[in-house]
């Protein structure tokens, strides 16, 4: 629970690298996520060093965190494999989202900063990652995660809002 409430988006990092041990722990956390029919239909592309994924940075207006992030993980699904486990073939979005969130939470627990950089379903961002990572058509990128040691401390806000909650059925409310 501490990691959940500590996690926040970090967009500027120091030069201190993310260690291989930390990267493995982040990947372990990712693969501990739930997936539809337990398909585990995900692939992870680990990038080390600042300034990774240059084409994504070029086309994405809010991916500048990658300039200073000392590592990044791109979370993808393999559409070919997905067809076997999932006739609708769209559950991969939730599967990869759950994996992405697990990485963010594990990063917070390790004292690392992280940022979920949205890729899917923006075609320009998807194409950019195809170029950066040589991805074939059947590999679909959902997110890129910037990782590193935060340049400054940041507190996450308490966003609990009881007005967003319905106990039981929907009831119209005055705004
Ligand atoms: C699906 C998704 C896509 C996101 N894409 C980006 C992004 O491309 N660039 C960015 O700077 N932040 C991105 N974010 C981070 C959100 O802006 C951030 O989570 C939100 O402002 C709340 O702040 P917090 O993460 O510090 O709690 C994304 C978050 C999600 C869940």
């Amino acid at each position: 629970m501490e990691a959940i409430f500590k996690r926040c988006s970090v967009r500027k990092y120091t030069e201190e690298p993310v260690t291989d041990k930390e990267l493995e722990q982040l990947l372990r956390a990712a693969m501990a996520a739930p997936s539809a029919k337990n398909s585990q239909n995900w692939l992870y592309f680990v990038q080390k060093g600042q300034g990774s994924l240059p084409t994504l940075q070029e086309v994405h207006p809010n991916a500048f965190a990658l300039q200073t992030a000392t590592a990044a993980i791109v979370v993808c699904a393999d559409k070919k494999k997905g067809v076997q486990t999932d006739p609708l073939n769209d559950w991969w979005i939730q599967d990869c989202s759950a994996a992405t969130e697990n990485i963010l939470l594990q990063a917070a627990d390790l004292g690392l900063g992280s940022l979920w950089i949205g890729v899917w379903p923006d075609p320009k961002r998807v194409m950019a990652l195809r170029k950066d990572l040589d991805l074939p058509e059947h590999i679909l990128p959902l997110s890129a995660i910037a990782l590193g040691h935060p340049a400054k401390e940041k507190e996450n806000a308490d966003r609990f809002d009881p007005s967003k909650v319905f106990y039981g059925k929907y009831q119209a409310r005055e705004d």
Side-chain angles (χ1 to χ4, degrees), residues 7-9 11 60 62 115-118 125 154 156 159:
R7 185 215 59 81
C8 61
S9 292
R11 295 180 176 86
H60 195 316
N62 282 310
L115 177 69
W116 182 327
I117 297 172
R125 300 177 192 180
K154 204 178 146 188
N156 202 350
R159 292 194 287 244

Side-chain angles (χ1 to χ4, degrees), residues 44-98:
Y44 301 93
F45 294 81
V46 180
Q47 313 296 301
K48 294 185 194 177
Q50 294 183 316
S52 66
L53 307 172
T55 321
L56 181 65
Q57 287 195 53
E58 260 171 46
V59 306
H60 195 316
N62 282 310
F64 58 86
L66 291 167
Q67 286 169 21
T68 56
T70 49
I73 299 177
V74 178
V75 182
C76 297
D78 182 339
K79 204 170 182 192
K80 264 192 204 158
K81 287 211 176 121
V83 175
Q84 291 154 23
T85 49
D86 168 14
L88 291 175
N89 210 14
D90 267 341
W91 296 106
W92 70 272
I93 297 172
Q94 287 97 313
D95 299 345
C96 289
S97 296

Side-chain angles (χ1 to χ4, degrees), residues 105-142:
L105 294 178
Q106 179 64 78
D109 194 57
L110 289 168
L112 295 169
S114 66
L115 177 69
W116 182 327
I117 297 172
V119 175
W120 189 269
D122 184 309
K124 265 198 207 149
R125 300 177 192 180
V126 171
M127 286 305 288
L129 278 184
R130 290 205 181 292
K131 192 165 168 211
D132 282 330
L133 301 174
D134 286 342
L135 298 180
E137 275 296 308
H138 63 279
I139 310 263
L140 306 175
L142 184 282

